[in-house]
């Protein structure tokens, strides 16, 4: 169904080269990022109080990678997550006339398309906690059932130069954000399984009928082209990804959006909370980085962000950070940390917008 090797080959061929650095400079960047990752772990634990002192947590690796390494890691993650869905689709296609031939051709087409998408993203991601990293595939160091933290060195160098900020400060600032994600998943054992369950529910609701998928794509294209002026569906501003979903998928996506807003907003809140004490130029970095997030990199970049739903991710940072800040302001850090008690204490999408509603629900008298 997907030619994964072709996806990697396509992405690595198309991805833009990173900034020019000498071999010695590259080694120095890698070494500094590794040091900052270790330092960030202590800072994040002290600030969030999510992990009691002396408590044992899973040891997940930190890998400093280039753009090709990020592509390989994410293809491995896609294979892990999409396996059940692609298996169902392959079984269905195998029984159809010419299914084997169509599968081979379709797999190559999908591989090229995925590779093109990854080549676009590979030059933009600064870091990532790879939650669903498969053990021992493509990149060393992943543990069975655990994740791994990826820091994309060329992208970090590119952005720090673009923003004209202090490299040492910017690298530590990025590491604080990504280390917060690692802490979230190592300190909350049920979080990974909960997210995977929601994602598999989302994938399980995928329409397998080609005619239905084509019809949804046609309607989506019309909405973007203004072909449904009488529509009352409020499709303006929604991505193509959202428009081709089933009603059940949209319900699941609402829950996933709330969780991702919490995780991203929490990481931003921690990054800025720790920052003033250890990153002298944090105010300058934050201001310039926010401007960069808002502006994108031109019209094509803006169109692709909307098409792929990446603008929604930018909203997650803002909405989630406001939620965390408001809750901590009302009930303190320990009161906020009740959000990690169970899936039932996670905020809903509506509560992300109205933090007081979450406080009222989770901090009811007697709980």
């Amino acid at each position: 169904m997907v030619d994964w090797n072709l996806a990697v080959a396509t992405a690595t061929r198309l991805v833009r080269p990173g900034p020019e650095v000498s071999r010695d400079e590259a080694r120095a960047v890698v070494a500094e990022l590794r040091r900052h990752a270790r330092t960030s772990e202590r800072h994040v634990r002290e600030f969030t109080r999510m992990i009691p002192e002396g408590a044992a947590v899973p040891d997940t690796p930190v890998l400093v990678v280039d753009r090709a390494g990020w592509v390989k890691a994410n293809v491995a993650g896609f294979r892990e997550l999409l396996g059940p869905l692609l298996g169902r689709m392959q079984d269905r296609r195998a029984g159809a006339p010419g299914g084997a031939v169509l599968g081979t051709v379709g797999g190559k087409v999908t591989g090229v398309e995925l590779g093109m998408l990854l080549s676009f993203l590979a030059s933009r991601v600064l870091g990532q906690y790879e939650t669903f990293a498969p053990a021992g595939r493509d990149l060393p160091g992943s543990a069975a059932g655990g994740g791994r933290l990826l820091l994309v060195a060329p992208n970090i160098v590119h952005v720090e130069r673009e923003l004209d900020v202090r490299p040492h400060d910017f690298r530590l600032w990025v590491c604080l954000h990504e280390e917060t994600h690692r802490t979230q998943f190592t300190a909350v054992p049920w979080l990974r399984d909960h997210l995977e369950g929601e994602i598999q529910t989302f994938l399980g609701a995928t329409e397998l009928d080609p005619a239905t998928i084509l019809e949804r794509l046609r309607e989506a294209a019309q909405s973007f082209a203004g072909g449904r002026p009488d529509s009352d569906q409020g499709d303006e501003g929604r991505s193509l990804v959202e428009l081709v979903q089933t009603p059940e998928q949209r319900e699941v996506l609402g829950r996933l959006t709330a969780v991702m807003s919490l995780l991203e907003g929490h990481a931003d809140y921690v990054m800025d909370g720790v920052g003033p004490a250890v990153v002298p130029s944090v105010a300058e970095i934050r201001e310039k980085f926010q401007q960069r997030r808002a502006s994108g990199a031109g019209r094509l970049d803006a169109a692709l962000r909307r098409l792929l739903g990446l603008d929604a991710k930018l909203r997650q940072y803002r909405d989630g950070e406001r939620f965390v800040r408001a809750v901590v302001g009302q009930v303190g850090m320990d009161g906020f940390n009740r959000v990690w008690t169970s899936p039932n204490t996670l905020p809903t999408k509506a509560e992300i917008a109205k933090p007081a509603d979450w406080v009222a629900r989770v901090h009811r008298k007697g709980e």
Side-chain angles (χ1 to χ4, degrees), residues 151-193:
L151 298 170
V152 191
N155 295 350
I156 293 173
V157 172
H158 171 78
V159 174
E160 70 191 26
R161 290 179 178 178
E162 180 185 349
L163 298 182
D164 190 24
V165 293
R166 300 176 189 174
H168 174 85
D169 288 4
F170 184 74
R171 295 166 194 175
L172 178 55
W173 189 71
V174 170
C175 287
L176 288 169
H177 181 101
E178 303 306 333
E179 176 58 38
T180 302
H181 287 315
R182 185 164 71 146
T183 299
Q184 289 163 349
F185 283 94
T186 54
V188 186
W190 53 264
L191 184 57
R192 180 188 184 278
D193 289 342

Side-chain angles (χ1 to χ4, degrees), residues 86-239:
L86 295 180
R88 288 192 295 121
M89 295 179 71
Q90 189 158 338
D91 290 344
R92 178 166 179 165
R93 179 172 285 180
V101 175
L102 288 173
T104 301
V105 174
K108 292 189 178 300
V109 171
T110 307
V112 170
E113 292 172 341
L114 178 59
M116 293 173 66
L117 170 62
L118 289 172
S119 72
F120 171 76
L121 296 174
S123 61
R124 288 159 172 76
V125 176
L126 301 182
Q128 171 189 358
Y129 185 73
E130 197 190 2
T131 313
F132 305 105
R137 182 183 291 167
D138 290 313
L139 284 179
S142 58
R148 58 192 175 199
L149 180 59
L150 306 178
L151 298 170
V152 191
N155 295 350
I156 293 173
V157 172
H158 171 78
V159 174
E160 70 191 26
R161 290 179 178 178
E162 180 185 349
L163 298 182
D164 190 24
V165 293
R166 300 176 189 174
H168 174 85
D169 288 4
F170 184 74
R171 295 166 194 175
L172 178 55
W173 189 71
V174 170
C175 287
L176 288 169
H177 181 101
E178 303 306 333
E179 176 58 38
T180 302
H181 287 315
R182 185 164 71 146
T183 299
Q184 289 163 349
F185 283 94
T186 54
V188 186
W190 53 264
L191 184 57
R192 180 188 184 278
D193 289 342
H194 173 71
L195 268 181
E196 184 173 16
E198 291 281 50
I199 292 171
Q200 292 304 331
T201 300
F202 179 88
L203 295 176
T206 299
E207 295 280 3
L208 297 179
D209 176 44
T212 301
I213 294 176
L214 287 174
E215 176 63 19
R216 290 185 180 276
L217 286 171
R218 184 185 66 80
E219 293 176 357
Q222 286 180 341
S223 74
F224 269 95
R228 291 196 294 170
D230 59 338
S231 173
D232 61 354
Q233 300 302 309
D235 288 336
E236 296 84 356
R238 287 168 59 188
S239 69

Side-chain angles (χ1 to χ4, degrees), residues 63-86:
L63 303 177
V64 181
V65 299
D66 59 11
R67 290 170 176 175
W70 181 86
V71 167
K72 292 176 183 177
N74 277 267
V75 166
F78 281 142
R79 293 182 72 167
E80 192 83 354
L81 271 181
L82 297 179
L85 172 64
L86 295 180

